[in-house]
Amino acid sequence: MKPNNLWRAIIFNWPVKVFSLVLAIGIYLVVNYATLDQRKVDIPLQVVLPGGYEATSTILDSVTLVIRTDARHIGMIDPSVLTATADFSSVDSEGAHSVPILLSAPPSFFDVEVSFSTDPEVIRIYFARIATSPTAQDDPGGVGQ
């Protein structure tokens, strides 16, 4: 085939060819994502609090874990082996602070295509400095006695 004939074959009925390609990609995506299943489970949340500060707002004790994977693998995933952690140990001032919720999973999940997310994804807590009360040892003159 000459290069000129090849070019004519490519551009002949090009709208139909482009439509067929888009349709094939669309069908592939629908089939791939139609087999995904979703499962929601509550798991405990471990919150690491900073030293010298106390939480004055409510601290969640659990979060909703959203598991997305192929429908045939959804029942094999044990959510109790996952841990959710919110680490506020770097807080160094009073006020509201937000951190993302971090998920830890054992390596056995990495041979299955699975995605995990939490609801909420970020936790926000208001911290206040812990008030220290003076003791008799701190009062050198004995005025507090």
Side-chain angles (χ1 to χ4, degrees), residues 37-114:
D37 203 1
Q38 178 174 311
R39 181 172 150 199
K40 293 184 179 184
V41 189
D42 285 340
I43 61 171
L45 175 66
Q46 299 172 357
V47 179
V48 179
L49 299 174
Y53 295 93
E54 64 181 351
T56 57
S57 60
T58 305
I59 300 175
L60 296 175
D61 57 348
S62 67
V63 292
T64 302
L65 174 69
V66 180
I67 305 168
R68 285 185 193 91
T69 188
D70 193 279
R72 63 179 180 247
H73 298 299
I74 197 82
M76 294 188 287
I77 296 175
D78 182 15
S80 66
V81 298
L82 281 93
T83 58
T85 307
D87 188 4
F88 287 96
S89 61
S90 63
V91 170
D92 58 357
S93 63
E94 292 184 330
H97 296 275
S98 300
V99 295
I101 296 175
L102 304 174
L103 290 172
S104 304
S108 63
F109 286 126
F110 298 121
D111 58 349
V112 175
E113 203 169 311
V114 62

Side-chain angles (χ1 to χ4, degrees), residues 7-28:
W7 180 249
R8 280 189 211 160
I10 290 174
I11 63 169
F12 180 73
N13 284 337
W14 69 268
V16 174
K17 292 176 183 177
V18 170
F19 177 74
S20 297
L21 179 64
V22 170
L23 186 64
I25 291 171
I27 290 172
Y28 171 78

